[in-house]
Amino acid sequence: VVPVYIHLIHGRRHGEHRIGRRAARQMFWTLNGGYAGTQDLGMAPTGVSFRLKKITVSRNERWFHARPYSAADKQMKRRLHRGKPRVLNIYVNRTAVPGQVLLGFSTFPWQRAWRRGLDGVTVSDASLPGGRAVGYNHGDTVIHETGHWLGLLHTFEGGCVGGTGGDGVADTPAEAAPSFRCDDRNTCTIPEYQNPADPTGPLID
């Protein structure tokens, strides 16, 4: 059971303070449902569940538009982070990188030692239900990024390595490169082993 703090960041311009506590709770329910296996009848529970401890709201223009690992991002997390490494802190703002919308990003468990107080998951408000990231605005980004926070890699992380791929998980097919569409393909046709088709589904970060 993972305790969770959700930190909502509001900007100062029109439309930059629409993220409310209700949306935060919906995002939390989506997170719990994803790991409980309730989104699809074919899914099994992971054994990981989440307990919401608190929702905080801050108004700060620099934090709202903070780029990943920038000075503003670090300041935000140092001020707002709560709990020890086993506590998940989720930050909701409108983070971006030049030329694109960034749906979210996360630290990995092995980064916590040298990013003390800076670990957690950051989710763009564009990915929340009704957000402006069309096709990616169903709220599932928080599930994906929390997987990274728990230590999961992308299925394409190590390419076609040893039949299991660089994610180190034997029951996920290897994949040579990320997919941006829900297409049927097999990018790891290596003679040494019979590789099933690539995992179906688009990349979200």
Side-chain angles (χ1 to χ4, degrees):
V1 179
V2 180
V4 176
Y5 286 85
I6 299 176
H7 307 289
L8 306 178
I9 313 302
H10 291 178
R12 297 190 177 277
R13 301 171 188 169
H14 179 70
E16 294 183 347
H17 46 78
R18 69 172 189 84
I19 313 166
R21 294 176 184 273
R22 182 177 180 182
R25 291 189 184 95
Q26 288 176 332
M27 180 183 68
F28 177 76
W29 295 332
T30 299
L31 174 64
N32 242 337
Y35 282 82
T38 61
Q39 288 188 316
D40 188 312
L41 293 177
M43 299 172 77
T46 63
V48 177
S49 63
F50 302 87
R51 184 177 73 252
L52 183 60
K53 296 281 289 184
K54 190 175 183 179
I55 299 172
T56 71
V57 180
S58 302
R59 176 168 290 189
N60 188 303
E61 184 72 9
R62 290 181 68 246
W63 295 357
F64 185 77
H65 295 287
R67 293 180 183 178
Y69 311 115
S70 64
D73 179 64
K74 292 176 182 177
Q75 182 190 59
M76 173 183 72
K77 290 172 180 173
R78 287 192 178 106
R79 295 268 185 91
L80 299 179
H81 189 279
R82 296 291 180 271
K84 295 182 178 180
R86 292 180 180 271
V87 176
L88 172 59
N89 283 258
I90 301 173
Y91 306 86
V92 185
N93 61 5
R94 194 171 293 173
T95 188
V97 292
Q100 63 178 307
V101 174
L102 181 66
L103 299 178
F105 66 98
S106 172
T107 53
F108 288 98
W110 49 87
Q111 295 176 318
R112 289 177 194 147
W114 52 277
R115 289 189 183 275
R116 192 172 300 278
L118 299 175
D119 72 284
V121 165
T122 301
V123 174
S124 171
D125 68 336
S127 72
L128 299 180
R132 58 196 177 98
V134 178
Y136 298 90
N137 56 355
H138 301 291
D140 291 337
T141 297
V142 70
I143 299 174
H144 179 109
E145 298 302 339
T146 299
H148 292 324
W149 185 81
L150 290 169
L152 295 175
L153 301 174
H154 291 119
T155 52
F156 59 83
E157 206 79 31
C160 305
V161 177
T164 63
D167 66 349
V169 180
D171 63 355
T172 55
E175 190 174 19
S179 172
F180 295 89
R181 298 182 305 276
C182 290
D183 51 351
D184 292 327
R185 63 180 196 168
N186 188 343
T187 56
C188 287
T189 53
I190 298 177
E192 285 77 13
Y193 66 92
Q194 292 293 317
N195 187 63
D198 289 8
T200 301
L203 170 70
I204 67 169
D205 76 354

